[in-house]
């Protein structure tokens, strides 16, 4: 009765045979891509693989960390905050009033060189709590105007410092608020020469600030922001401005002021005569003078070295921990197997 | 009508027809011609006289016609309907997530906007260099929130739509290209008509399948018959080679000859004689063709059809019959008859064939029909299709009288079908039952294997067929649809009245609930009538039954009931796939989430309406397990990754706003932002369309793995939370490291921005690499080539003097600080991700991971028992995590970095290796969920 029940197996074999021959004639050109059969490497996260990856990272990272830390340690840095100290004692209650008054703001400070400093020594001024990255501030400039004389009136972005009856060159808040403290250094009553050439980016001097663009009508309005510019010098030579116009991304930043091209010996005392003109008092900003050498990694900054050591250390810890567990597991597995074998043999008597 | 060719253009007349409707099976109109051709004689026009739009006319070289409906008023035009655009579950989920991100974005904007205004009014007023005016109009308050809105607008990745469209069309192409889904007999390739729903294939939970032509080949072969109580073909299974029958034919047994005559005449088959004399038959119905063929091989050859005259050659004797009327087959009548006049004797006969319940009750009084019903029963048990053949000799008067009525009924404009059926009834009675013919419809290749594989993958099957209950059950048994007793159990849901159905339904439900705790294959069987009542009056109970039952056989159902069942399952939030081959499956195919058409013998109607067309039922396995699964996995990764990368860059912008006076400064310049979304991050991820987490063979061998797709384990709010967390973490890493390495004199805006951007690019390259399971050459090219391209592009842009970032990239690339920072960002970002992924891989490994391990380490795939024991030994050293609560279909809590989570696990005994989707838990949980919904 059941002999005729529809069954697929018999039919399957039959049809496969008859169609086998046709297979080649019909098939379109076979391609590994269309069939999703491109040769592929299929890594999976085996313990060995992961442990060696972490181990490798720690082996690479820890030396880099040590080297960076050393590089950072080799940098000698003198940081001197002067914003409060340079206000005469009688004016300390009203710092803003003092800084805005026409009083003489010269101030003398003495710095001690802690370690031998090899030339060139970079002089920076550091501002804290100064938002050069504020949207209103950072947009308030005209790159067109800075580059070409022809685009002098291209000041639409510069509001509110775009014109004061006449077009301002350079316009905008950034230029207007140019830092105007000045420093002079003497060592043993000898003037230390400050090289202020080449402190800005060469590309900026060549391409962003025109050789034939001269300051015009700058700091002429009632509200005076920062430094004045020499109207006879083209913008491409106003290196302080060029440095300042490279706005900082962080509210604490340093800008290059100049370079000292002589070595400083440990224990040297350096007298700084500075003009404390710039107003950071209304927003509780700090002003610092920084003298620093550099390493291949830049200035003094332990972060990178420490971070490398931390990551490397963690990776090393992880790798060791995992390998211990890995070894223990495989051993306990084989131990388990051994024990089971013994027990089975003991109870069942099989060999 | 015999009108001369020249007079044709002079014909004038009127066609009375109903106003346009969309019923393509009916056209009840009348034609009245004006003199001089025919006096006012009504001439009925039916759908038989009608050519539908875009039909092919065969077997003639010309035809004369009148256009009745045109344009959108044609029947096809009216019934075209607007195909509902199908939205995949994945797309719906992405939309939901997009909504959530949008809300998050608004919250961020409001919070930052308020913070920005507060900062502005307290701090910024002191900052003289910003020169905020002392007084400002009120709307200035809105400016900062609007700036943040602009800044955060990149949080929702627009590129996701483009990327998804791109990869989806590629999924579809992969289906089209697949050489393993080519029907070698008919040379039909699989085709994805709808390119947008491939992911849904991987999430199918219910498959509703037609029987004839889908599970079976729809190649009818006459196998057995019972003539006047004598069974032929029972011994060898083929009546055509049964010596007894051959003997009966040659000796000229009247009963047998009459039986054969009905087989040869009672049909609408057209014989076509080729030049070589070989006769081939064109038939609308496969059954009729089978009968005519069988009759021909029993020496009753239907030679020619000349107008209304049929010529039959019986053992060299030419018999002529004139067909007087054809009483059409309809699915309500379930029989068809012809009235023929023997040209020799002039006698008029009514010849009928049809389903047993449509013929046997009409037997003349006195004739015993028990043998026939037994024969029908016996054949149905074997899974054969049965047809009862009957005849009656008519009086001339009776016929003439009836003929008038028939003509009148046929020219009715209203209710013609019903009227005709009624008139037919008047003639079809007092039958002389001649016998029962049994026709075999062979199963397609690989159907049982396909069903059992997909069943293992956790897909439930429902069979919806127009066939008899017994035939349906037999087919179901023979193709693994239901298990035979004692493992399987069939519950009959039947009844003719509401009460009966109600009682039956309750009984079935009760049994179903009880047996749910046993590992038993329970299926319910319902016929069209009971289904109608159940759907109408006991919808809730029936829905419950539908949820409980993994298998169902619905027989004698109409096309619209098929669609209703699909609708019912869809309303329970199941992903349904409907597969069929004929015109009666079209509605179901269109209704279902995914419609699959089999381009088979019943034409291409279903295949045209479907989203996917395949040549054979067995390709369904590959379509779902390979294409559907890969598509789902790939889209799940791609979409979440798109959110991740947008969030990453957006978080950095938000963090930056905290150190820029909450003023809404953008750290990145607009070119970088644009290129980041469009270019740097979208190209590497596009090659994830080639990613394969498991090889095709592994998936085919362990179809259970589809569960991860069905339950949406790879894309749900918790996996998304993982990606969200990853974006946040990476943003913190990039931001903190950048602003601590590039400090003081190095904190130049453009440089810091480029460092952060390169950090993001490096991280995302490694993220893509880490999430890629199989690297082909294209993946390497896209991931690492993209990194190279990033530097190339930025170096080129840096070389342009007028660009904002002139020389920036050159300066950075020369600094050791830059490279050490980037390496630090990459490692600090990827280390924890790698570690977490590894921990989950070892301690909470999903079944996908286990299979990956087996596939790649074991060479030949280990048996699953081994895998289980291995993984269990690893599990020992962590706290008991085995959760006894039933697996929920809803995604569960996932730890950070979810991509292939398996947070719930059950301890699996050694006896049931890998049976981690025990049906009852799944069912009960889904049931609980759904009953809650209700």
């Amino acid at each position: 009765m059941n002999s005729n029940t529809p069954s697929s197996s018999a039919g399957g074999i039959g049809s496969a045979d008859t169609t086998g021959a046709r297979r080649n004639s019909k098939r379109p050109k076979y391609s590994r891509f269309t069939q999703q059969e491109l040769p592929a490497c299929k890594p999976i996260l085996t313990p060995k693989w992961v442990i060696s990856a972490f181990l490798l990272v720690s082996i690479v990272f820890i030396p880099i960390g040590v080297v960076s830390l050393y590089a950072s340690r080799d940098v000698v840095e003198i940081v001197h905050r002067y914003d409060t100290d340079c206000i005469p004692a009688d004016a300390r209650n009203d710092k803003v009033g003092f800084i805005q008054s026409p009083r003489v703001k010269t101030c003398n400070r003495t710095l001690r060189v802690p370690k031998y400093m090899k030339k060139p020594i970079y002089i920076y001024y550091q501002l804290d709590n100064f938002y050069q990255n504020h949207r209103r501030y950072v947009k308030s400039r005209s790159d067109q105007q800075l580059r070409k004389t022809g685009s002098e009136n291209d000041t639409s972005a510069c509001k509110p410092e775009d014109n004061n009856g006449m077009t301002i060159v350079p316009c905008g808040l950034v230029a207007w608020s140019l830092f105007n403290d000045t420093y002079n250094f003497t060592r043993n009553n000898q003037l230390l020469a400050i090289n202020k050439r080449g402190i800005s980016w060469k590309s900026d001097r060549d391409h962003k600030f025109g050789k034939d663009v001269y300051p015009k009508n700058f700091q002429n309005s009632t509200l005076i922001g920062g430094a004045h510019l020499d109207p006879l010098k083209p913008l491409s030579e106003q290196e302080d401005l060029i440095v300042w116009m490279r706005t900082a991304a962080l509210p604490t930043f340093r800008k290059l002021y100049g370079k000292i091209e002589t070595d400083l010996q440990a224990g040297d005392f350096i007298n700084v005569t500075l003009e404390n003109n710039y107003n950071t008092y209304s927003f509780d900003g700090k002003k610092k003078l920084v003298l620093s050498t550099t390493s291949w990694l830049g200035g003094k900054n332990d972060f990178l070295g420490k971070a490398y050591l931390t990551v490397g250390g963690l990776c090393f810890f992880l790798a060791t921990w995992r390998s211990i567990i890995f070894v223990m597991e495989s051993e306990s597995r084989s131990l388990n197997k051994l024990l089971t074998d013994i027990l089975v043999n003991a109870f069942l008597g099989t060999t | 009508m015999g009108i001369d060719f020249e007079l044709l253009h002079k014909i004038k007349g009127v066609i009375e027809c109903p106003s346009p409707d969309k019923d393509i099976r009916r056209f009840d109109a009348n034609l009245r011609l004006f003199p001089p051709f025919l006096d006012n004689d009504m001439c009925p026009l039916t759908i038989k006289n009608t050519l539908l739009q875009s039909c092919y006319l065969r077997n003639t070289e010309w035809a004369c016609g009148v256009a009745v409906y045109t344009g959108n008023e044609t029947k096809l035009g009216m019934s075209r309907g607007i195909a509902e655009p199908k939205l995949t579950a994945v797309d719906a989920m992405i939309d939901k997530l997009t909504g959530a991100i949008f809300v998050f974005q608004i919250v961020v904007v409001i919070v930052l906007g308020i913070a920005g205004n507060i900062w502005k009014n307290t701090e910024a007023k002191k900052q003289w260099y910003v020169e905020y005016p002392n007084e400002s109009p009120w709307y200035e308050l809105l400016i900062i929130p609007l700036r943040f809105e602009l800044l955060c607008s990149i949080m929702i990745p627009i590129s996701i739509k483009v990327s998804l469209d791109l990869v989806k069309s590629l999924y579809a192409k992969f289906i089209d290209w697949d050489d393993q889904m080519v029907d070698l007999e008919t040379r039909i390739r699989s085709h994805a008509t709808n390119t947008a729903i491939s992911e849904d294939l991987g999430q199918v939970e219910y498959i509703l399948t037609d029987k004839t032509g889908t599970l079976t080949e729809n190649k009818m072969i006459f196998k057995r018959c019972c003539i006047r109580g004598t069974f032929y073909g029972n011994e060898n299974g083929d009546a055509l080679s049964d010596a007894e029958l051959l003997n009966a034919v040659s000796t000229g047994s009247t009963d047998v000859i009459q039986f054969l005559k009905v087989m040869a005449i009672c049909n609408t088959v057209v014989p076509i004689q080729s030049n070589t004399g070989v006769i081939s038959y064109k038939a609308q119905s496969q059954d009729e063709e089978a009968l005519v063929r069988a009759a021909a091989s029993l020496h009753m050859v239907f030679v020619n059809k000349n107008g209304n005259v049929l010529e039959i050659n019986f053992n060299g004797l030419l018999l002529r019959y004139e067909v007087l009327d054809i009483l059409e087959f309809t699915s309500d009548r379930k029989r068809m008859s012809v009235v023929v006049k023997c040209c020799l004797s002039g006698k008029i006969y009514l010849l009928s064939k049809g389903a047993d319940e449509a013929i046997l009750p009409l037997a003349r009084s006195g004739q015993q029909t028990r043998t026939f019903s037994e024969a029908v029963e016996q054949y149905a048990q074997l899974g054969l299709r049965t047809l009862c053949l009957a005849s009656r000799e008519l009086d001339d008067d009776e016929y003439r009288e009836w003929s008038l009525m028939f003509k009148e009924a046929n020219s009715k404009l209203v209710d013609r079908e019903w009227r005709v059926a009624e008139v037919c009834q008047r003639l079809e009675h007092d039958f002389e039952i001649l016998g029962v013919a049994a026709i075999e419809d062979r199963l397609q290749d690989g159907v049982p294997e396909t069903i059992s594989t997909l069943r293992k993958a956790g897909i439930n099957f429902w069979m919806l067929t127009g066939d008899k209950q017994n035939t349906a059950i037999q087919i179901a048994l023979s193709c693994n649809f239901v298990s035979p007793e004692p493992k399987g159990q069939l519950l009959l849901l039947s009844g003719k009245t509401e009460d009966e159905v109600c009682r039956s339904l309750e009984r079935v439900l009760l049994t179903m609930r009880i047996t749910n705790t046993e590992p038993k294959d329970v299926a319910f069987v319902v016929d069209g009538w009971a289904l109608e009542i159940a759907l109408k009056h006991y919808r809730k109970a029936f829905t419950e039954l539908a949820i409980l039952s993994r298998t169902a056989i619905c027989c004698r159902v109409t096309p619209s009931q098929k669609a209703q069942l699909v609708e019912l399952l869809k309303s329970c939030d199941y992903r349904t796939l409907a597969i069929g081959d004929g015109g009666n499956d079209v509605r179901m195919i269109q209704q279902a989430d995914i419609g699959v058409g089999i381009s088979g013998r019943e034409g291409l109607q279903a295949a045209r309406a479907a989203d996917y067309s395949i040549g054979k039922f067995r390709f369904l396995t590959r379509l779902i397990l390979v294409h559907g699964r890969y598509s789902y996995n790939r889209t799940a990764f791609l979409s979440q990754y798109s959110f991740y990368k947008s969030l990453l860059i957006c978080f950095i912008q938000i963090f930056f706003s905290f150190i820029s006076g909450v003023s809404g400064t953008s750290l990145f310049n607009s070119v970088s932002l644009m290129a980041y979304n469009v270019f740097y991050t979208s190209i590497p991820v596009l090659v994830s369309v080639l990613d394969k987490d498991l090889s095709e063979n592994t998936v085919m061998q362990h179809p259970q793995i589809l569960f991860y797709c069905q339950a949406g384990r790879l894309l749900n709010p918790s996996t998304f939370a993982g990606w969200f967390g990853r974006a946040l973490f990476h943003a913190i890493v990039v931001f903190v490291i950048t602003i601590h390495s590039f400090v003081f004199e190095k904190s130049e805006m453009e440089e810091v921005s480029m460092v952060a951007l390169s950090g993001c690019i490096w991280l995302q390259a490694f993220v893509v690499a880490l999430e890629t399971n199989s690297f082909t050459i294209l993946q390497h090219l896209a991931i690492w080539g993209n990194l190279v391209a990033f530097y190339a592009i930025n170096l080129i842009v840096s070389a342009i003097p007028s660009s904002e970032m002139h020389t920036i990239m050159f300066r950075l690339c020369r600094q050791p600080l830059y490279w050490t920072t980037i390496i630090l960002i990459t490692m600090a970002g990827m280390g924890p991700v790698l570690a977490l992924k590894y921990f989950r891989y070892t301690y909470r490994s999903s079944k996908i991971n286990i299979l990956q391990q087996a596939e790649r380490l074991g060479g030949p795939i280990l048996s699953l028992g081994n895998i289980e024991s291995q993984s269990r030994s690893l599990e020992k050293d962590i706290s008991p995590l085995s959760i006894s609560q039933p697996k929920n279909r809803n995604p569960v809590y996932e730890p950070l970095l979810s991509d292939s989570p398996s947070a719930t696990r059950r301890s699996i005994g050694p006896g049931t290796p890998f049976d981690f989707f025990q049906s009852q838990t799944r069912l009960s949980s889904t049931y609980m969920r759904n009953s809650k919904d209700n």
Side-chain angles (χ1 to χ4, degrees), chain B residues 551-572:
Chain B
T551 313
I553 299 168
C554 308
C555 25
R556 295 287 189 219
V557 289
T558 61
S560 72
Q561 278 178 328
K562 288 183 180 183
Q564 275 177 35
L565 284 171
V566 171
E567 183 58 37
L568 181 89
L569 286 173
K570 267 174 85 180
S571 70
C572 302

Side-chain angles (χ1 to χ4, degrees), chain B residues 569-637:
Chain B
L569 286 173
K570 267 174 85 180
S571 70
C572 302
D573 209 16
Y574 287 116
R575 292 272 123 191
T576 52
L577 181 147
I579 178 165
D581 75 318
N584 56 347
D585 305 315
V586 169
R587 283 189 62 181
M588 154 173 100
I589 284 172
Q590 284 174 336
Q591 186 74 48
D593 291 310
I594 304 158
V596 179
I598 292 194
S599 4
R601 292 165 173 273
E602 278 191 37
L604 293 170
Q605 242 179 320
R608 289 236 174 85
D611 301 311
Y612 297 94
S613 65
I614 54 179
K616 282 276 190 294
F617 184 77
R618 67 187 139 96
F619 298 146
L620 204 57
T621 328
R622 213 176 144 71
L623 192 66
I624 290 174
L625 287 180
V626 174
H627 292 288
R629 191 172 168 281
Y630 283 151
S631 301
Y632 173 78
N633 289 355
R634 291 162 181 174
T635 299
F637 169 63

Side-chain angles (χ1 to χ4, degrees), chain B residues 676-697:
Chain B
Y676 177 80
N677 259 329
V678 174
F679 208 74
Y680 305 142
T681 55
S682 44
I683 286 173
V685 76
L686 275 184
V687 288
S688 69
V689 288
L690 294 173
D691 191 35
K692 290 172 152 188
D693 56 342
L694 295 170
S695 75
E696 291 169 13
N697 279 338

Side-chain angles (χ1 to χ4, degrees), chain A residues 146-147 205-207 209-214 234-237:
Chain A
L146 299 173
R147 193 177 298 138
R205 293 196 298 270
D206 293 347
H207 300 287
F209 292 81
K211 288 189 172 57
D212 49 353
V213 184
Y214 292 89
L235 287 186
S236 64
E237 287 173 30

Side-chain angles (χ1 to χ4, degrees), chain B residues 514-810:
Chain B
I514 294 165
T515 47
N516 248 337
T517 48
E518 301 166 28
K520 217 173 177 188
D521 247 359
V522 187
F524 75 86
V525 184
V526 66
D527 63 12
W529 184 255
L531 185 68
E532 180 89 39
I533 295 171
L535 280 177
K536 210 171 189 176
H537 301 282
Y538 308 104
R539 203 184 166 86
K540 207 173 156 187
F542 188 74
T543 311
E544 193 188 332
L545 179 66
I547 293 164
L548 281 173
S549 171
R550 296 199 66 189
T551 313
I553 299 168
C554 308
C555 25
R556 295 287 189 219
V557 289
T558 61
S560 72
Q561 278 178 328
K562 288 183 180 183
Q564 275 177 35
L565 284 171
V566 171
E567 183 58 37
L568 181 89
L569 286 173
K570 267 174 85 180
S571 70
C572 302
D573 209 16
Y574 287 116
R575 292 272 123 191
T576 52
L577 181 147
I579 178 165
D581 75 318
N584 56 347
D585 305 315
V586 169
R587 283 189 62 181
M588 154 173 100
I589 284 172
Q590 284 174 336
Q591 186 74 48
D593 291 310
I594 304 158
V596 179
I598 292 194
S599 4
R601 292 165 173 273
E602 278 191 37
L604 293 170
Q605 242 179 320
R608 289 236 174 85
D611 301 311
Y612 297 94
S613 65
I614 54 179
K616 282 276 190 294
F617 184 77
R618 67 187 139 96
F619 298 146
L620 204 57
T621 328
R622 213 176 144 71
L623 192 66
I624 290 174
L625 287 180
V626 174
H627 292 288
R629 191 172 168 281
Y630 283 151
S631 301
Y632 173 78
N633 289 355
R634 291 162 181 174
T635 299
F637 169 63
L638 189 122
S639 52
Q640 296 185 101
Y641 170 83
S642 297
F643 280 108
Y644 154 79
K645 55 125 184 188
S646 306
L647 283 169
L648 171 62
I649 201 114
C650 201
F651 277 133
I652 293 178
Q653 296 274 52
I654 291 170
F655 293 149
F656 182 69
S657 77
F658 289 121
I659 61 160
S660 64
V662 210
S663 58
T665 320
S666 171
L667 177 60
F668 305 103
N669 60 47
S670 51
V671 179
S672 301
L673 277 181
M674 194 266 297
Y676 177 80
N677 259 329
V678 174
F679 208 74
Y680 305 142
T681 55
S682 44
I683 286 173
V685 76
L686 275 184
V687 288
S688 69
V689 288
L690 294 173
D691 191 35
K692 290 172 152 188
D693 56 342
L694 295 170
S695 75
E696 291 169 13
N697 279 338
T698 317
V699 179
M700 289 295 206
Q701 279 170 23
H702 308 291
Q704 300 94 320
I705 215 70
L706 189 72
F707 176 75
Y708 283 88
C709 304
Q710 283 176 331
R713 282 300 189 82
L714 303 188
L715 173 64
N716 57 50
S718 47
T719 57
F720 183 72
W723 281 98
F724 187 90
R726 192 189 290 205
L728 189 62
F729 169 66
H730 280 173
I732 291 173
V733 165
V734 170
F735 186 71
V736 168
I737 292 180
T738 305
I739 65 165
H740 279 94
S741 331
F742 281 72
V743 281
F744 299 138
E745 72 278 7
K746 293 193 182 300
S747 69
E748 201 276 323
M749 192 84 167
E750 297 284 340
E751 282 192 359
V752 170
S753 131
M754 250 1 254
V755 174
L757 186 69
S758 346
C760 295
I761 301 288
W762 277 81
L763 275 182
Q764 68 87 25
F766 276 92
V767 165
V768 174
L770 188 68
E771 299 297 330
T772 301
N773 294 296
S774 63
F775 289 92
T776 66
I777 182 80
L778 289 174
Q779 256 118 345
H780 283 301
L781 263 180
I783 295 173
W784 312 122
N786 181 62
L787 261 183
V788 175
F790 169 76
Y791 282 99
I793 290 169
N794 278 299
L795 285 173
I796 290 169
V797 175
S798 294
I800 303 169
S802 59
S803 81
E804 276 177 69
M805 43 182 288
H806 178 49
T807 71
I808 297 288
M809 210 59 194
F810 291 105

Side-chain angles (χ1 to χ4, degrees), chain A residues 202-319:
Chain A
K202 189 173 180 305
S203 61
D204 281 357
R205 293 196 298 270
D206 293 347
H207 300 287
K208 294 229 159 181
F209 292 81
K211 288 189 172 57
D212 49 353
V213 184
Y214 292 89
K216 239 188 239 171
N217 197 26
F218 188 68
Q219 300 289 21
N220 261 353
S221 47
T222 45
L223 202 61
I224 292 174
H228 292 262
L229 291 175
D230 183 353
L232 300 175
K233 257 166 115 182
L235 287 186
S236 64
E237 287 173 30
Q238 310 264 12
E239 295 211 27
D240 280 326
L241 177 76
I242 297 174
V243 171
W244 181 256
M245 294 287 278
R246 278 273 156 205
T247 51
L250 308 176
T252 299
F253 58 89
R254 287 175 187 173
K255 299 256 176 223
L256 195 55
Y257 180 82
K259 288 179 276 186
I260 296 175
E261 306 276 11
T262 44
D263 294 351
L264 296 180
Q265 304 303 323
D268 276 0
F269 284 93
I270 295 169
N271 284 314
V272 188
T273 313
L274 55 85
E275 293 283 327
N276 182 21
N277 295 322
Y278 203 67
N279 178 12
T280 56
Y281 302 100
S282 52
F283 51 86
D284 300 324
K286 294 172 198 154
K287 287 196 278 191
K288 287 172 187 167
L289 173 65
V290 180
L291 296 183
S292 172
T293 58
T294 55
S295 68
W296 58 275
L297 212 51
K300 196 172 186 68
N301 184 3
D302 287 351
F303 171 79
L304 216 56
K306 284 176 182 163
Y308 261 87
L309 283 181
T310 317
V311 172
L314 280 175
C315 286
F316 184 74
F317 165 72
L318 214 64

